[in-house]
């Protein structure tokens, strides 16, 4: 290998390695945090990747998930916030509001709706003799 080829290969390898290196939290967090506060779920995930236990970032993610009409995800996120920072103001109220909204959407008794197969007593299973093909 010629000297020039070695230099080019070394430079290429250095570029590849530097592109794989993680960004510092100072590089990504402030801009991602502001975009997260504005409602960008992707920016929230980017910021949380660098600071996964930051209750304010997680709370902003929950707010963004609510704005995106994803209450189940928001509830899970707010519960994580409550576990990390139990005294953070407003989190318990957000959890209670989402839980009451979700429980209002469920049918009474929290049971799944009955289907025709449940009413007739028929079983549909791969193990049932009448459905086996061999």
């Amino acid at each position: 290998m010629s000297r020039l080829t070695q230099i080019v290969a070394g430079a290429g390898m250095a570029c590849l390695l530097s592109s794989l290196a993680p960004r510092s939290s100072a590089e990504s967090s402030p801009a991602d945090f502001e975009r997260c506060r504005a409602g960008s779920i992707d920016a929230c995930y980017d910021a949380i990747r660098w600071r996964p236990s930051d209750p304010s970032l997680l709370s902003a993610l929950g707010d963004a998930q609510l704005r995106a009409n994803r209450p189940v995800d928001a509830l899970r996120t707010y519960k994580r916030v409550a576990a990390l920072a139990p005294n953070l103001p407003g989190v318990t109220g957000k959890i209670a509001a989402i839980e009451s909204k979700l429980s209002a959407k469920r049918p009474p008794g929290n049971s799944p709706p009955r289907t025709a197969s449940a009413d007739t007593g028929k079983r549909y299973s791969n193990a049932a003799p009448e459905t086996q093909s061999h």
Side-chain angles (χ1 to χ4, degrees), residues 28-93:
S28 64
S29 291
D32 288 338
F33 182 74
E34 292 306 317
R35 287 186 13 244
C36 178
R37 282 276 194 208
S40 172
I41 293 175
D42 291 334
C44 291
Y45 288 133
D46 287 342
I48 288 169
R49 183 176 37 204
W50 302 110
R51 295 185 348 212
S53 298
D54 186 343
S56 61
L57 277 176
L58 290 168
S59 184
L61 172 62
D63 295 342
Q65 289 169 330
L66 272 181
R67 283 191 293 273
N69 198 23
R70 294 171 47 184
V72 175
D73 293 333
L75 179 61
R76 185 175 46 244
T77 302
Y78 287 136
K79 285 183 176 181
R80 185 173 168 200
V81 171
L84 289 171
N87 296 329
L88 193 68
V91 175
T92 55

Side-chain angles (χ1 to χ4, degrees), residues 99-115:
E99 285 177 340
S100 68
K101 183 179 177 182
L102 290 175
S103 67
K105 290 183 179 180
R106 291 188 193 131
N110 293 333
S111 62
R114 295 183 60 124
T115 61

